[in-house]
Amino acid sequence: MSTGLVVVEAAGALVWRVRQGRLQVVLVHRPRYKDWSWPKGKLEPGEHVITAAVREVEEETGLDVVLGRPLPGLEYPLSDGRLKRVHYWSAQVAGRPDRPAVHARPPAEHASADEIDRVRWVDADVARRRLTREDDREPLDALVEAHTKGRLDTRALVVVRHGRARSRASWPGGEETRPLTDVGRRQAEALVPALSAYGVVEVVTSPWSRCGATVAPYAASAGITPVQDEPLTEAQHAESPEKTAAVVAAALRTGADVAVCTHRPVLPTVLRVVGDHARRRVAEELPAEDPYLRPGQILVAHVSGAPDAPRVEAVEVHAPLVPVRA
């Protein structure tokens, strides 16, 4: 039953770095409110939260960033009776290996001096004192805790289920050539800003048409060539799930931000490998029931540690970026 409460969705990030052993973060000053806060802003119509987080950070700070592990969000009432919900991530400035992801983004308009007049890197303890809103300390405390435990510096493994495809009954060709529907193609286009937000520099995909077409728009925008791997197909997985598991384990060990696109019957093996490298609490958050992910849906595993000893520190699942009718 609807309560009638109007929710204003917003997104942002705590951009961090380490200088001379000290954790530093970016704060912005808003002259209109005379406050220091995190770069954030409201979602545009139809915009996804992860896209909004990256866009708002660039607009308010001028920094191209890559999202890391999610941080606690905030909810608070507005003066007009609406509820504001803010989604936060940790984020780092995009380095040279991440430039393909940045190339896939549209240019952002920077905020005027009337909106943001100061942008500052400050030590985390200084930020905690300078923040105007008490609630803004909650995501900062989570960031500091993750850093203290060595769990903040992560890379992403983005698991993608291909977009909506033609039904088996309606397609006269072979299973490997079954194409995306119009909705599936729109889902593929909508993946471009999502994969860019997580800094994806490598794409590994089933060579079947519907998977290749799902990641093709991002690969073209980022200027990268997807790697086709037969063990990610339904047929090869049914024959040898061990080979599929090896492909996923290799993706976890690359040391880079990677997207892996595959099919619904393959997902239990993919998620098992992710869970095998995760802390128990994190493994319990993985989808456990068929269909695991819906067409066009993504799961993001945030991975820390050296390439030869990856550890999944957090996971997040995002609904299909283009709605699909049941």
Side-chain angles (χ1 to χ4, degrees):
M1 180 174 167
S2 174
T3 62
L5 182 66
V6 176
V7 178
V8 178
E9 300 283 357
L14 277 63
V15 187
W16 67 274
R17 69 184 185 186
V18 176
R19 288 290 185 273
Q20 298 180 334
R22 299 195 303 274
L23 179 65
Q24 298 182 333
V25 291
V26 171
L27 293 181
V28 296
H29 184 262
R30 302 184 299 173
R32 177 182 176 186
Y33 300 100
K34 298 180 181 179
D35 69 355
W36 287 96
S37 63
W38 306 119
K40 66 180 183 302
K42 293 185 293 185
L43 275 62
E44 295 179 348
E47 188 177 32
H48 197 277
V49 288
I50 53 182
T51 306
V54 170
R55 175 185 56 77
E56 285 290 342
V57 170
E58 183 179 356
E59 287 181 358
E60 295 195 352
T61 69
L63 300 173
D64 294 316
V65 299
V66 170
L67 298 183
R69 58 185 297 161
L71 297 171
L74 301 176
E75 289 187 357
Y76 50 89
L78 298 174
S79 59
D80 59 6
R82 296 179 299 170
L83 179 72
K84 189 166 186 177
R85 179 183 297 139
V86 188
H87 307 260
Y88 282 117
W89 284 263
S90 63
Q92 290 179 275
V93 177
R96 291 181 63 85
D98 303 311
R99 300 314 294 182
V102 176
H103 291 160
R105 301 175 186 172
E109 295 184 5
H110 291 171
S112 69
D114 292 337
E115 183 178 357
I116 302 293
D117 63 350
R118 280 178 280 176
V119 178
R120 296 288 187 271
W121 282 102
V122 297
D123 290 353
D125 57 342
V126 175
R128 200 174 196 285
R129 295 193 300 269
R130 188 172 295 182
L131 285 165
T132 303
R133 290 181 55 87
E134 179 72 27
D135 289 351
D136 279 345
R137 294 171 174 79
E138 184 176 352
L140 175 62
D141 290 344
L143 186 89
V144 171
E145 180 181 8
H147 173 66
T148 301
K149 294 180 177 180
R151 301 175 183 176
L152 180 58
D153 193 2
T154 61
R155 54 195 180 273
L157 171 67
V158 185
V159 179
V160 182
R161 182 179 171 186
H162 65 73
R164 176 61 62 90
R166 286 275 299 272
S167 69
R168 288 178 170 85
S170 69
W171 180 244
E175 183 64 16
E176 69 278 6
T177 63
R178 188 153 56 91
L180 297 179
T181 63
D182 288 344
V183 167
R185 287 189 287 273
R186 293 198 300 273
Q187 289 175 326
E189 292 290 344
L191 276 173
V192 174
L195 298 183
S196 171
Y198 293 107
V200 169
V201 295
E202 297 181 19
V203 175
V204 184
T205 182
S206 159
W208 287 7
S209 293
R210 53 192 181 274
C211 277
T214 297
V215 296
Y218 178 73
S221 297
I224 58 179
T225 302
V227 174
Q228 297 186 346
D229 226 319
E230 285 288 343
L232 293 174
T233 66
E234 293 183 31
Q236 287 292 310
H237 173 261
E239 184 176 309
S240 179
E242 295 81 8
K243 291 183 179 179
T244 305
V247 170
V248 181
L252 282 168
R253 293 193 299 267
T254 61
D257 299 295
V258 183
V260 174
C261 185
T262 190
H263 310 263
R264 179 189 58 78
V266 184
L267 288 173
T269 296
V270 175
L271 297 178
R272 176 177 60 78
V273 175
V274 173
D276 287 346
H277 290 81
R279 303 179 189 280
R280 177 178 297 180
R281 176 189 59 77
V282 177
E284 291 172 350
E285 297 176 5
L286 292 169
E289 297 180 356
D290 192 25
Y292 307 101
L293 297 174
R294 298 193 298 279
Q297 193 168 19
I298 64 174
L299 177 143
V300 185
H302 297 278
V303 187
S304 71
D308 61 348
R311 173 67 68 178
V312 177
E313 302 289 356
V315 294
E316 50 182 318
V317 177
H318 292 287
L321 305 184
V322 174
V324 180
R325 294 193 184 95

